[in-house]
Structure formats: structure tokens, C-alpha cells
Amino acid sequence: MRAFVFSGGANRGALQAGATLALLEAGITPDLIVSSSVGSINGAVLAASPSLDGVRQTAERWKTVRCDEVFPGNRARSLWRLMRGLGSLHDNRALRRFILGLLPANVHRFSDLTVPLFVTATRYQTGEMHLFGHDPQERLIDALMASCAVPPYLPPYRYRDELYIDGGFVANLPLSVAVAQGATEIWALEIGVDAASASPAISMRGSVMRSFETLMRMQMSREHELVRLMQQTGVIVHRIQMLHYSSIDVHDFSHSAALMGLGYQTAQTYLDTRASFAPVQPPASPSRRELLRAAWQTSTAAQANLARLRVESLRNLRVESLRNLWPRRQPAVVPLPVDKNGPVV
């Protein structure tokens, strides 16, 4: 079974739209889709309409997306939200409209999809992974809003009396989820972070963002460690890594058209340079299957610990932001009166 795995990538989601177009033009289509964060939007649209026409429509939409269609308001509005204790810099109503505008009008629930889809989200309270897609009656909009609720930009998403945040915090590239669902061939559309890119400014926000990037690379490396084990069990992994524009601000959507083209070129280059598909190996022996399952469970536990660290960092970020808005007053220094004989004491 062939799976497409879409990673998170914030405002660089257009990279995946371009890469997906190249794969479908080459006749490579998914039997299963697993996705996280912004990748859940691209994955859901593909699962609803796994055709060239559907992917081209998505790609064209990514070319024209504006910041206010995802992150509404200006800096003053964001500061007002922080002062009111609303928990995020932007509300999520614009994102909801953007997602609903991409999905076909007749697609509302997982049962309406043409290709099976699984979407990761992070439980806000515990930092554990929640996987949408097992219940065919669940609404797609709930899964996608939960998976894309990236703090501090967007608020946690409430679903069935529980809060969820961005799925990328616990499984940014959920390869192991695809294997657990029976995938034997994986096409990983990974929007990565270029470690050599320009470092953010030395500030509270820059330090937090760099910390998140470091934790994300640690998590991704754990997923990549599983690739070798997957290959031993007969799972083929095609890794299409896209590092373009990894240093741009999350509010900057002005490069979306260029990103879509770069994603297309990256996937096309991979298709052109690989000699041929690796043959699918026979099913793995039970012992190897158990080994892979144990490794997946270990990786999931480690990712949950990383997610807890990120959640705690985000809570600290909110406190520090308020402190910066309202700096503590220093006690005034009153000079001693002075006369001709010196200070009066």
C-alpha cells in the first residue's frame, strides 16, 4: 500500500502543493494519506479529490493566498489579544474560512473522502498525540483546525471538551503512523528547516523560535532513524525534502507562488534522478514486525516528551510577552539634598 505523508511547514505549504502535482503527473497516486499541521490541509484536499485537476486547483489557490486569510489583524490587534489574555496573536476564524474554501462543497466528514486520511494533533493538556481518521463520522474541519492550531499564533482548538494544538509538535512527519496503518511504500513530502539558514534575531521571540526549530529537528531525526528499520521490514521510503525559504517569517505569504514552483522542481528532480522504483520486498517476518512496532512506540513516547517541552515553552512565552508589554517599574532614585557643607544625612 502506497502512502503519502505530509509534514508540517506553516506558511510554506505551497511547497507540498507543487510536489504533489509533480507526483500525480508522473502517475504516482496514494492509497493512504497521513498528515500533520499545514500538511493536513494539503492531505485532506488530495484525499477528497485525488486527481490532477483537483491538485492543480489547490496549487493555484496557494499562489494567491494572503496573510490576512490565515492570520488576520495587525500588530496592535495582536497586542490587544495578549493583554486580554486570549491566548494567541490571531483568532482562527480566517483559517477556518480558508480551509473550507479549499475543500469540495460536498466533503464534510472523513467518510466523504476518496482516499483514507489520518491527521495528527497534540493534546494540549498532556502533550500526547491524537490521531483523527479512525472515526469516519468525524468532521474534517475539526481535525484540520486542531492540527493547524499553532501557538502562539492561533489558539488551541476545542473538540469534544478537550483542547488540541498543532499536530507538528508531536509528529511533524508521521512516518511511523503510516507504517502502523499498513503502508509498504511511503512518499514523504517533508518541509524541513535548513540548519544553515540565517539565525533569528537575538530576542525573546527569536530565542523561542530557534528553540522550537531545534526540538523539531530532534523529533524529525527520530522519525528518520526509523527509516532504516522500515526498509529492513520491506517498507520503501521516498524522501522528498524541501528546505526552501525556511527562514522567512511565518506571516510572510508573498513567496507562495515561488514556493509552489520550487516544490514541483524538487519532486521532479527526485523522479528524474532515481534509477527506478525499488522492488517491494516480501512481508517482514513477525520478529521484525514486532521490532518495528516497539521502535514506533518508543519514538511516539519520545515525541510526546518533546511536545510537553514545547507546550511548557509556549506557556512561558505568553508570560514573558505580557511582562515585556508591561515592564516592572524600577523604584525612583531620589537624590540627597546638598548644601555647601556636603550632603545632608
Short mmCIF file of all heavy atoms in Angstrom, two decimals, residues 117-181:
data_model
loop_
_atom_site.label_atom_id
_atom_site.label_comp_id
_atom_site.label_asym_id
_atom_site.label_seq_id
_atom_site.Cartn_x
_atom_site.Cartn_y
_atom_site.Cartn_z
N LEU A 117 -7.65 9.00 5.11
CA LEU A 117 -6.81 10.08 5.62
C LEU A 117 -6.69 9.96 7.14
O LEU A 117 -7.68 9.70 7.83
CB LEU A 117 -7.43 11.43 5.26
CG LEU A 117 -6.80 12.68 5.91
CD1 LEU A 117 -5.42 12.96 5.33
CD2 LEU A 117 -7.72 13.88 5.73
N PHE A 118 -5.48 10.19 7.64
CA PHE A 118 -5.24 10.28 9.08
C PHE A 118 -4.52 11.60 9.35
O PHE A 118 -3.61 11.99 8.63
CB PHE A 118 -4.40 9.10 9.58
CG PHE A 118 -5.15 7.80 9.57
CD1 PHE A 118 -5.09 6.97 8.45
CD2 PHE A 118 -5.93 7.41 10.65
CE1 PHE A 118 -5.80 5.77 8.41
CE2 PHE A 118 -6.63 6.22 10.62
CZ PHE A 118 -6.56 5.40 9.50
N VAL A 119 -4.95 12.28 10.41
CA VAL A 119 -4.45 13.61 10.75
C VAL A 119 -3.99 13.61 12.19
O VAL A 119 -4.72 13.17 13.09
CB VAL A 119 -5.55 14.68 10.55
CG1 VAL A 119 -5.06 16.05 11.02
CG2 VAL A 119 -5.97 14.73 9.09
N THR A 120 -2.78 14.11 12.44
CA THR A 120 -2.27 14.17 13.80
C THR A 120 -2.60 15.51 14.46
O THR A 120 -2.68 16.55 13.80
CB THR A 120 -0.74 13.99 13.84
OG1 THR A 120 -0.11 15.14 13.24
CG2 THR A 120 -0.32 12.74 13.11
N ALA A 121 -2.80 15.48 15.77
CA ALA A 121 -2.95 16.68 16.59
C ALA A 121 -2.31 16.39 17.94
O ALA A 121 -2.03 15.23 18.28
CB ALA A 121 -4.42 17.06 16.75
N THR A 122 -2.07 17.44 18.70
CA THR A 122 -1.42 17.29 20.01
C THR A 122 -2.40 17.69 21.11
O THR A 122 -2.97 18.77 21.06
CB THR A 122 -0.17 18.18 20.11
OG1 THR A 122 0.71 17.88 19.03
CG2 THR A 122 0.55 17.97 21.42
N ARG A 123 -2.58 16.81 22.07
CA ARG A 123 -3.43 17.13 23.22
C ARG A 123 -2.73 18.21 24.05
O ARG A 123 -1.60 18.02 24.52
CB ARG A 123 -3.68 15.89 24.08
CG ARG A 123 -4.44 14.79 23.35
CD ARG A 123 -4.65 13.60 24.27
NE ARG A 123 -5.20 12.46 23.55
CZ ARG A 123 -6.49 12.25 23.36
NH1 ARG A 123 -7.36 13.10 23.85
NH2 ARG A 123 -6.91 11.19 22.68
N TYR A 124 -3.41 19.32 24.24
CA TYR A 124 -2.80 20.46 24.93
C TYR A 124 -2.44 20.13 26.38
O TYR A 124 -1.40 20.54 26.88
CB TYR A 124 -3.77 21.65 24.90
CG TYR A 124 -3.24 22.88 25.59
CD1 TYR A 124 -2.30 23.71 24.97
CD2 TYR A 124 -3.68 23.24 26.86
CE1 TYR A 124 -1.81 24.84 25.60
CE2 TYR A 124 -3.20 24.38 27.49
CZ TYR A 124 -2.27 25.17 26.86
OH TYR A 124 -1.78 26.28 27.49
N GLN A 125 -3.28 19.38 27.05
CA GLN A 125 -3.09 19.12 28.46
C GLN A 125 -1.91 18.17 28.72
O GLN A 125 -1.14 18.37 29.66
CB GLN A 125 -4.36 18.53 29.08
CG GLN A 125 -4.34 18.44 30.59
CD GLN A 125 -4.29 19.81 31.26
OE1 GLN A 125 -4.83 20.77 30.74
NE2 GLN A 125 -3.62 19.89 32.41
N THR A 126 -1.77 17.15 27.89
CA THR A 126 -0.78 16.10 28.15
C THR A 126 0.39 16.10 27.19
O THR A 126 1.42 15.49 27.47
CB THR A 126 -1.44 14.71 28.11
OG1 THR A 126 -1.93 14.46 26.77
CG2 THR A 126 -2.61 14.64 29.09
N GLY A 127 0.25 16.75 26.02
CA GLY A 127 1.31 16.70 25.02
C GLY A 127 1.33 15.40 24.24
O GLY A 127 2.28 15.13 23.50
N GLU A 128 0.31 14.57 24.36
CA GLU A 128 0.25 13.30 23.66
C GLU A 128 -0.38 13.47 22.27
O GLU A 128 -1.12 14.43 22.03
CB GLU A 128 -0.55 12.28 24.46
CG GLU A 128 0.07 11.95 25.81
CD GLU A 128 -0.82 11.07 26.67
OE1 GLU A 128 -2.03 10.97 26.37
OE2 GLU A 128 -0.30 10.48 27.63
N MET A 129 -0.10 12.52 21.40
CA MET A 129 -0.64 12.59 20.05
C MET A 129 -2.08 12.06 20.01
O MET A 129 -2.41 11.06 20.66
CB MET A 129 0.22 11.78 19.07
CG MET A 129 -0.28 11.86 17.63
SD MET A 129 0.81 11.02 16.46
CE MET A 129 0.52 9.31 16.89
N HIS A 130 -2.92 12.76 19.25
CA HIS A 130 -4.27 12.27 18.95
C HIS A 130 -4.35 12.09 17.44
O HIS A 130 -3.91 12.95 16.67
CB HIS A 130 -5.32 13.28 19.41
CG HIS A 130 -6.72 12.86 19.06
ND1 HIS A 130 -7.43 11.94 19.80
CD2 HIS A 130 -7.52 13.21 18.02
CE1 HIS A 130 -8.61 11.76 19.25
NE2 HIS A 130 -8.70 12.51 18.17
N LEU A 131 -4.90 10.97 17.02
CA LEU A 131 -4.96 10.65 15.60
C LEU A 131 -6.41 10.69 15.14
O LEU A 131 -7.23 9.86 15.55
CB LEU A 131 -4.35 9.28 15.33
CG LEU A 131 -4.04 8.94 13.87
CD1 LEU A 131 -3.02 9.91 13.28
CD2 LEU A 131 -3.50 7.51 13.77
N PHE A 132 -6.73 11.66 14.29
CA PHE A 132 -8.04 11.72 13.66
C PHE A 132 -8.06 10.81 12.43
O PHE A 132 -7.06 10.67 11.74
CB PHE A 132 -8.35 13.15 13.21
CG PHE A 132 -8.62 14.12 14.31
CD1 PHE A 132 -7.58 14.89 14.84
CD2 PHE A 132 -9.90 14.29 14.82
CE1 PHE A 132 -7.83 15.80 15.85
CE2 PHE A 132 -10.15 15.20 15.83
CZ PHE A 132 -9.11 15.96 16.35
N GLY A 133 -9.22 10.22 12.16
CA GLY A 133 -9.39 9.40 10.97
C GLY A 133 -9.93 8.02 11.23
O GLY A 133 -10.40 7.34 10.31
N HIS A 134 -9.87 7.57 12.48
CA HIS A 134 -10.41 6.25 12.80
C HIS A 134 -11.94 6.27 12.78
O HIS A 134 -12.56 5.26 12.45
CB HIS A 134 -9.91 5.80 14.18
CG HIS A 134 -8.46 5.45 14.21
ND1 HIS A 134 -7.94 4.37 13.50
CD2 HIS A 134 -7.40 6.03 14.84
CE1 HIS A 134 -6.64 4.29 13.71
NE2 HIS A 134 -6.28 5.29 14.51
N ASP A 135 -12.53 7.39 13.14
CA ASP A 135 -13.98 7.51 13.14
C ASP A 135 -14.43 8.19 11.84
O ASP A 135 -14.18 9.38 11.64
CB ASP A 135 -14.43 8.35 14.34
CG ASP A 135 -15.95 8.49 14.43
OD1 ASP A 135 -16.65 7.97 13.54
OD2 ASP A 135 -16.42 9.13 15.40
N PRO A 136 -15.08 7.46 10.94
CA PRO A 136 -15.46 8.05 9.65
C PRO A 136 -16.48 9.17 9.76
O PRO A 136 -16.65 9.95 8.83
CB PRO A 136 -16.04 6.86 8.87
CG PRO A 136 -16.45 5.88 9.91
CD PRO A 136 -15.49 6.04 11.04
N GLN A 137 -17.15 9.29 10.90
CA GLN A 137 -18.17 10.32 11.06
C GLN A 137 -17.60 11.63 11.63
O GLN A 137 -18.33 12.61 11.76
CB GLN A 137 -19.30 9.81 11.97
CG GLN A 137 -20.09 8.66 11.36
CD GLN A 137 -20.61 8.99 9.96
OE1 GLN A 137 -21.21 10.06 9.74
NE2 GLN A 137 -20.38 8.11 9.00
N GLU A 138 -16.34 11.64 11.98
CA GLU A 138 -15.74 12.88 12.46
C GLU A 138 -15.67 13.91 11.34
O GLU A 138 -15.43 13.56 10.17
CB GLU A 138 -14.33 12.62 13.01
CG GLU A 138 -14.32 11.98 14.38
CD GLU A 138 -12.92 11.85 14.94
OE1 GLU A 138 -12.01 11.46 14.19
OE2 GLU A 138 -12.73 12.15 16.13
N ARG A 139 -15.84 15.17 11.70
CA ARG A 139 -15.80 16.23 10.71
C ARG A 139 -14.35 16.58 10.36
O ARG A 139 -13.50 16.68 11.24
CB ARG A 139 -16.51 17.48 11.23
CG ARG A 139 -17.99 17.30 11.50
CD ARG A 139 -18.67 18.65 11.71
NE ARG A 139 -17.94 19.49 12.66
CZ ARG A 139 -18.17 20.79 12.82
NH1 ARG A 139 -19.11 21.38 12.10
NH2 ARG A 139 -17.49 21.49 13.72
N LEU A 140 -14.12 16.77 9.09
CA LEU A 140 -12.77 17.13 8.63
C LEU A 140 -12.33 18.46 9.21
O LEU A 140 -11.16 18.62 9.59
CB LEU A 140 -12.74 17.19 7.10
CG LEU A 140 -12.61 15.86 6.36
CD1 LEU A 140 -12.83 16.08 4.87
CD2 LEU A 140 -11.24 15.25 6.61
N ILE A 141 -13.23 19.42 9.28
CA ILE A 141 -12.85 20.75 9.72
C ILE A 141 -12.33 20.70 11.16
O ILE A 141 -11.39 21.44 11.51
CB ILE A 141 -14.04 21.74 9.60
CG1 ILE A 141 -13.56 23.17 9.84
CG2 ILE A 141 -15.17 21.33 10.51
CD1 ILE A 141 -12.55 23.68 8.85
N ASP A 142 -12.88 19.83 12.00
CA ASP A 142 -12.39 19.71 13.37
C ASP A 142 -10.96 19.17 13.39
O ASP A 142 -10.11 19.68 14.14
CB ASP A 142 -13.30 18.80 14.18
CG ASP A 142 -14.67 19.41 14.45
OD1 ASP A 142 -14.72 20.64 14.67
OD2 ASP A 142 -15.67 18.68 14.44
N ALA A 143 -10.70 18.16 12.60
CA ALA A 143 -9.36 17.57 12.55
C ALA A 143 -8.33 18.57 12.03
O ALA A 143 -7.23 18.71 12.59
CB ALA A 143 -9.36 16.32 11.68
N LEU A 144 -8.68 19.29 10.97
CA LEU A 144 -7.72 20.21 10.35
C LEU A 144 -7.48 21.44 11.24
O LEU A 144 -6.35 21.92 11.34
CB LEU A 144 -8.22 20.64 8.97
CG LEU A 144 -8.51 19.50 7.98
CD1 LEU A 144 -8.82 20.06 6.60
CD2 LEU A 144 -7.34 18.52 7.90
N MET A 145 -8.53 21.96 11.86
CA MET A 145 -8.36 23.10 12.75
C MET A 145 -7.51 22.72 13.96
O MET A 145 -6.67 23.51 14.42
CB MET A 145 -9.72 23.62 13.20
CG MET A 145 -10.53 24.28 12.10
SD MET A 145 -9.82 25.83 11.52
CE MET A 145 -10.12 26.89 12.93
N ALA A 146 -7.70 21.52 14.49
CA ALA A 146 -6.90 21.07 15.62
C ALA A 146 -5.44 20.89 15.21
O ALA A 146 -4.52 21.30 15.93
CB ALA A 146 -7.46 19.76 16.17
N SER A 147 -5.21 20.28 14.06
CA SER A 147 -3.85 20.01 13.61
C SER A 147 -3.09 21.27 13.25
O SER A 147 -1.86 21.28 13.29
CB SER A 147 -3.88 19.05 12.42
OG SER A 147 -2.57 18.61 12.10
N CYS A 148 -3.80 22.34 12.88
CA CYS A 148 -3.16 23.59 12.45
C CYS A 148 -3.14 24.66 13.54
O CYS A 148 -2.72 25.80 13.27
CB CYS A 148 -3.86 24.14 11.21
SG CYS A 148 -3.67 23.11 9.73
N ALA A 149 -3.57 24.33 14.74
CA ALA A 149 -3.65 25.33 15.81
C ALA A 149 -2.26 25.56 16.40
O ALA A 149 -1.93 25.08 17.48
CB ALA A 149 -4.62 24.86 16.89
N VAL A 150 -1.45 26.31 15.68
CA VAL A 150 -0.06 26.51 16.09
C VAL A 150 0.06 27.73 17.00
O VAL A 150 -0.17 28.86 16.59
CB VAL A 150 0.87 26.66 14.85
CG1 VAL A 150 0.38 27.76 13.91
CG2 VAL A 150 2.30 26.91 15.29
N PRO A 151 0.38 27.51 18.28
CA PRO A 151 0.58 28.64 19.18
C PRO A 151 1.98 29.24 19.00
O PRO A 151 2.88 28.54 18.54
CB PRO A 151 0.44 27.99 20.57
CG PRO A 151 0.77 26.56 20.36
CD PRO A 151 0.44 26.23 18.94
N PRO A 152 2.17 30.49 19.33
CA PRO A 152 1.21 31.43 19.90
C PRO A 152 0.39 32.16 18.85
O PRO A 152 -0.31 33.12 19.18
CB PRO A 152 2.12 32.41 20.64
CG PRO A 152 3.33 32.47 19.79
CD PRO A 152 3.53 31.07 19.25
N TYR A 153 0.46 31.74 17.58
CA TYR A 153 -0.22 32.46 16.51
C TYR A 153 -1.72 32.20 16.51
O TYR A 153 -2.52 33.12 16.29
CB TYR A 153 0.39 32.08 15.16
CG TYR A 153 1.87 32.33 15.11
CD1 TYR A 153 2.78 31.29 15.24
CD2 TYR A 153 2.37 33.62 14.96
CE1 TYR A 153 4.14 31.51 15.21
CE2 TYR A 153 3.74 33.86 14.93
CZ TYR A 153 4.62 32.80 15.06
OH TYR A 153 5.97 33.03 15.06
N LEU A 154 -2.12 30.96 16.73
CA LEU A 154 -3.54 30.59 16.73
C LEU A 154 -3.89 29.92 18.05
O LEU A 154 -3.04 29.25 18.66
CB LEU A 154 -3.85 29.65 15.56
CG LEU A 154 -3.67 30.25 14.17
CD1 LEU A 154 -3.78 29.16 13.11
CD2 LEU A 154 -4.69 31.35 13.91
N PRO A 155 -5.13 30.05 18.51
CA PRO A 155 -5.50 29.49 19.81
C PRO A 155 -5.66 27.97 19.74
O PRO A 155 -5.91 27.41 18.67
CB PRO A 155 -6.85 30.17 20.10
CG PRO A 155 -7.43 30.43 18.75
CD PRO A 155 -6.26 30.77 17.87
N PRO A 156 -5.54 27.30 20.88
CA PRO A 156 -5.87 25.87 20.92
C PRO A 156 -7.30 25.65 20.44
O PRO A 156 -8.17 26.50 20.65
CB PRO A 156 -5.71 25.50 22.40
CG PRO A 156 -4.77 26.53 22.95
CD PRO A 156 -5.07 27.79 22.20
N TYR A 157 -7.51 24.52 19.80
CA TYR A 157 -8.84 24.22 19.24
C TYR A 157 -9.57 23.26 20.17
O TYR A 157 -9.05 22.20 20.53
CB TYR A 157 -8.71 23.61 17.85
CG TYR A 157 -10.03 23.41 17.14
CD1 TYR A 157 -10.70 24.48 16.57
CD2 TYR A 157 -10.61 22.14 17.05
CE1 TYR A 157 -11.91 24.32 15.92
CE2 TYR A 157 -11.83 21.97 16.39
CZ TYR A 157 -12.47 23.07 15.84
OH TYR A 157 -13.68 22.89 15.20
N ARG A 158 -10.78 23.64 20.54
CA ARG A 158 -11.57 22.80 21.44
C ARG A 158 -12.42 21.82 20.64
O ARG A 158 -13.17 22.20 19.74
CB ARG A 158 -12.47 23.65 22.33
CG ARG A 158 -13.27 22.84 23.34
CD ARG A 158 -14.00 23.70 24.34
NE ARG A 158 -13.07 24.43 25.19
CZ ARG A 158 -12.50 23.91 26.28
NH1 ARG A 158 -12.76 22.66 26.63
NH2 ARG A 158 -11.67 24.64 27.00
N TYR A 159 -12.29 20.54 20.98
CA TYR A 159 -13.07 19.50 20.31
C TYR A 159 -13.45 18.45 21.34
O TYR A 159 -12.59 17.88 22.01
CB TYR A 159 -12.24 18.86 19.19
CG TYR A 159 -12.91 17.69 18.50
CD1 TYR A 159 -14.05 17.88 17.72
CD2 TYR A 159 -12.40 16.40 18.62
CE1 TYR A 159 -14.67 16.80 17.08
CE2 TYR A 159 -13.00 15.33 17.99
CZ TYR A 159 -14.13 15.54 17.23
OH TYR A 159 -14.75 14.48 16.61
N ARG A 160 -14.74 18.24 21.51
CA ARG A 160 -15.26 17.26 22.46
C ARG A 160 -14.68 17.50 23.86
O ARG A 160 -14.14 16.58 24.50
CB ARG A 160 -14.98 15.84 21.99
CG ARG A 160 -15.77 15.46 20.73
CD ARG A 160 -15.51 14.03 20.30
NE ARG A 160 -16.32 13.68 19.13
CZ ARG A 160 -16.22 12.52 18.49
NH1 ARG A 160 -15.36 11.58 18.92
NH2 ARG A 160 -16.98 12.26 17.44
N ASP A 161 -14.78 18.74 24.32
CA ASP A 161 -14.37 19.12 25.67
C ASP A 161 -12.87 18.93 25.93
O ASP A 161 -12.45 18.80 27.09
CB ASP A 161 -15.16 18.33 26.73
CG ASP A 161 -16.65 18.65 26.67
OD1 ASP A 161 -16.98 19.82 26.36
OD2 ASP A 161 -17.46 17.75 26.90
N GLU A 162 -12.07 18.92 24.88
CA GLU A 162 -10.62 18.83 25.04
C GLU A 162 -9.95 19.81 24.09
O GLU A 162 -10.46 20.08 22.99
CB GLU A 162 -10.13 17.41 24.78
CG GLU A 162 -8.68 17.20 25.17
CD GLU A 162 -8.29 15.73 25.23
OE1 GLU A 162 -9.17 14.86 25.00
OE2 GLU A 162 -7.12 15.45 25.50
N LEU A 163 -8.81 20.36 24.54
CA LEU A 163 -8.08 21.32 23.72
C LEU A 163 -6.96 20.61 22.96
O LEU A 163 -6.27 19.73 23.49
CB LEU A 163 -7.49 22.43 24.60
CG LEU A 163 -8.48 23.39 25.26
CD1 LEU A 163 -7.74 24.34 26.19
CD2 LEU A 163 -9.27 24.16 24.21
N TYR A 164 -6.78 21.06 21.70
CA TYR A 164 -5.72 20.50 20.85
C TYR A 164 -4.90 21.63 20.24
O TYR A 164 -5.41 22.73 19.98
CB TYR A 164 -6.33 19.66 19.72
CG TYR A 164 -7.06 18.43 20.18
CD1 TYR A 164 -8.42 18.47 20.47
CD2 TYR A 164 -6.39 17.23 20.35
CE1 TYR A 164 -9.10 17.34 20.92
CE2 TYR A 164 -7.06 16.09 20.79
CZ TYR A 164 -8.41 16.15 21.07
OH TYR A 164 -9.07 15.04 21.51
N ILE A 165 -3.61 21.34 20.02
CA ILE A 165 -2.74 22.27 19.31
C ILE A 165 -2.08 21.53 18.16
O ILE A 165 -2.26 20.32 17.97
CB ILE A 165 -1.69 22.91 20.24
CG1 ILE A 165 -0.83 21.83 20.92
CG2 ILE A 165 -2.36 23.81 21.27
CD1 ILE A 165 0.29 22.40 21.76
N ASP A 166 -1.27 22.26 17.42
CA ASP A 166 -0.66 21.80 16.18
C ASP A 166 -0.10 20.38 16.26
O ASP A 166 0.66 20.04 17.16
CB ASP A 166 0.46 22.78 15.81
CG ASP A 166 0.92 22.64 14.38
OD1 ASP A 166 1.48 21.59 14.03
OD2 ASP A 166 0.71 23.60 13.60
N GLY A 167 -0.48 19.56 15.28
CA GLY A 167 0.00 18.18 15.25
C GLY A 167 1.48 18.05 15.04
O GLY A 167 2.09 17.02 15.37
N GLY A 168 2.11 19.10 14.47
CA GLY A 168 3.55 19.05 14.24
C GLY A 168 4.36 19.00 15.50
O GLY A 168 5.53 18.60 15.48
N PHE A 169 3.78 19.38 16.65
CA PHE A 169 4.52 19.36 17.90
C PHE A 169 4.84 17.95 18.37
O PHE A 169 5.79 17.73 19.09
CB PHE A 169 3.73 20.09 19.00
CG PHE A 169 3.74 21.58 18.85
CD1 PHE A 169 2.75 22.35 19.42
CD2 PHE A 169 4.74 22.21 18.13
CE1 PHE A 169 2.76 23.73 19.29
CE2 PHE A 169 4.76 23.58 17.98
CZ PHE A 169 3.77 24.34 18.57
N VAL A 170 4.01 16.98 17.98
CA VAL A 170 4.25 15.61 18.43
C VAL A 170 4.60 14.68 17.28
O VAL A 170 5.21 13.63 17.49
CB VAL A 170 3.02 15.07 19.19
CG1 VAL A 170 1.85 14.81 18.26
CG2 VAL A 170 3.36 13.83 19.99
N ALA A 171 4.24 15.03 16.05
CA ALA A 171 4.56 14.18 14.89
C ALA A 171 4.57 15.05 13.64
O ALA A 171 3.60 15.07 12.90
CB ALA A 171 3.57 13.04 14.76
N ASN A 172 5.66 15.78 13.44
CA ASN A 172 5.70 16.70 12.31
C ASN A 172 5.79 15.96 10.97
O ASN A 172 5.25 16.42 9.97
CB ASN A 172 6.90 17.64 12.44
CG ASN A 172 6.81 18.82 11.51
OD1 ASN A 172 5.81 19.52 11.48
ND2 ASN A 172 7.85 19.03 10.71
N LEU A 173 6.45 14.82 10.95
CA LEU A 173 6.49 13.96 9.75
C LEU A 173 6.11 12.55 10.20
O LEU A 173 6.98 11.73 10.50
CB LEU A 173 7.87 13.98 9.11
CG LEU A 173 8.02 13.19 7.81
CD1 LEU A 173 7.20 13.83 6.69
CD2 LEU A 173 9.49 13.09 7.39
N PRO A 174 4.82 12.23 10.27
CA PRO A 174 4.37 11.00 10.91
C PRO A 174 4.55 9.74 10.06
O PRO A 174 3.59 9.05 9.69
CB PRO A 174 2.89 11.28 11.18
CG PRO A 174 2.49 12.28 10.14
CD PRO A 174 3.70 13.11 9.86
N LEU A 175 5.80 9.42 9.77
CA LEU A 175 6.11 8.21 9.01
C LEU A 175 5.64 6.96 9.74
O LEU A 175 5.09 6.03 9.14
CB LEU A 175 7.62 8.11 8.75
CG LEU A 175 8.26 9.24 7.94
CD1 LEU A 175 9.78 9.08 7.95
CD2 LEU A 175 7.74 9.23 6.51
N SER A 176 5.88 6.92 11.05
CA SER A 176 5.53 5.73 11.82
C SER A 176 4.02 5.49 11.84
O SER A 176 3.58 4.34 11.92
CB SER A 176 6.07 5.84 13.24
OG SER A 176 5.70 7.08 13.82
N VAL A 177 3.24 6.56 11.76
CA VAL A 177 1.79 6.39 11.70
C VAL A 177 1.40 5.68 10.40
O VAL A 177 0.53 4.80 10.39
CB VAL A 177 1.08 7.75 11.81
CG1 VAL A 177 -0.43 7.60 11.61
CG2 VAL A 177 1.36 8.40 13.16
N ALA A 178 2.05 6.07 9.31
CA ALA A 178 1.75 5.43 8.02
C ALA A 178 2.07 3.94 8.07
O ALA A 178 1.31 3.11 7.56
CB ALA A 178 2.54 6.11 6.91
N VAL A 179 3.20 3.59 8.67
CA VAL A 179 3.58 2.17 8.78
C VAL A 179 2.58 1.42 9.65
O VAL A 179 2.18 0.30 9.34
CB VAL A 179 5.00 2.04 9.35
CG1 VAL A 179 5.35 0.58 9.60
CG2 VAL A 179 6.01 2.65 8.39
N ALA A 180 2.16 2.05 10.74
CA ALA A 180 1.19 1.41 11.63
C ALA A 180 -0.14 1.15 10.93
O ALA A 180 -0.87 0.22 11.28
CB ALA A 180 0.97 2.27 12.87
N GLN A 181 -0.45 1.96 9.90
CA GLN A 181 -1.69 1.78 9.14
C GLN A 181 -1.52 0.83 7.96
O GLN A 181 -2.44 0.65 7.17
CB GLN A 181 -2.20 3.13 8.65
CG GLN A 181 -2.53 4.11 9.76
CD GLN A 181 -3.54 3.57 10.74
OE1 GLN A 181 -4.52 2.93 10.37
NE2 GLN A 181 -3.32 3.84 12.03
#
